[in-house]
Amino acid sequence: VLSFIIFICYIASLASSFMMAPLLEFLLALVLFFAYTFKLNEKFKGLYWPLSDFLRCVTAAIIYFAISIAAVSRYSDGASKAGGVFGFIATIVYAIDFYITFNELVTFLKQGSSESPEEHKSE
């Protein structure tokens, strides 16, 4: 939802060149949401799903931080500033998600088994 709000802010602003990053993050989040909803993570065992979520969070936090700095510093219209502020909020949200996912990955790697971190939570 936050990515969609940022996308709308950038469309309405002078910083419309930044609209592609929030749109791609929004679509990627939808794809992963539906993949987990339809339990595709259980059907496709070859792909380690928490790692893909981890990489998405890392790249999203870096990209949102960079375009937020550019939008706030370069453009003076309100929509660009709002998109930048929401971008900083998204950076924090993705950093928190990055931290949580990283802890799950470390726990999984320390256990050295072939089970997923979701299965360890239920134990």
Side-chain angles (χ1 to χ4, degrees), residues 45 48 50 104 107-109 111-123:
K45 297 287 186 181
Y48 188 61
E104 290 177 4
T107 303
F108 174 73
L109 291 175
Q111 291 175 350
S113 68
S114 62
E115 298 175 11
S116 66
E118 290 88 13
E119 292 172 356
H120 292 295
K121 286 182 184 178
S122 63
E123 292 178 354

Side-chain angles (χ1 to χ4, degrees), residues 42-64:
E42 295 173 2
K43 293 178 184 175
F44 297 109
K45 297 287 186 181
L47 180 65
Y48 188 61
W49 291 87
L51 183 61
S52 64
D53 190 33
F54 172 76
L55 292 174
R56 182 186 63 88
C57 291
V58 169
T59 57
I62 292 169
I63 290 171
Y64 274 129

Side-chain angles (χ1 to χ4, degrees), residues 52-98:
S52 64
D53 190 33
F54 172 76
L55 292 174
R56 182 186 63 88
C57 291
V58 169
T59 57
I62 292 169
I63 290 171
Y64 274 129
F65 186 69
I67 66 172
S68 296
I69 288 174
V72 170
S73 64
R74 282 181 159 175
Y75 301 98
S76 61
D77 62 319
S80 296
K81 300 283 186 195
V85 169
F86 281 121
F88 286 126
I89 294 169
T91 301
I92 293 168
V93 169
Y94 279 116
I96 291 169
D97 192 18
F98 157 79

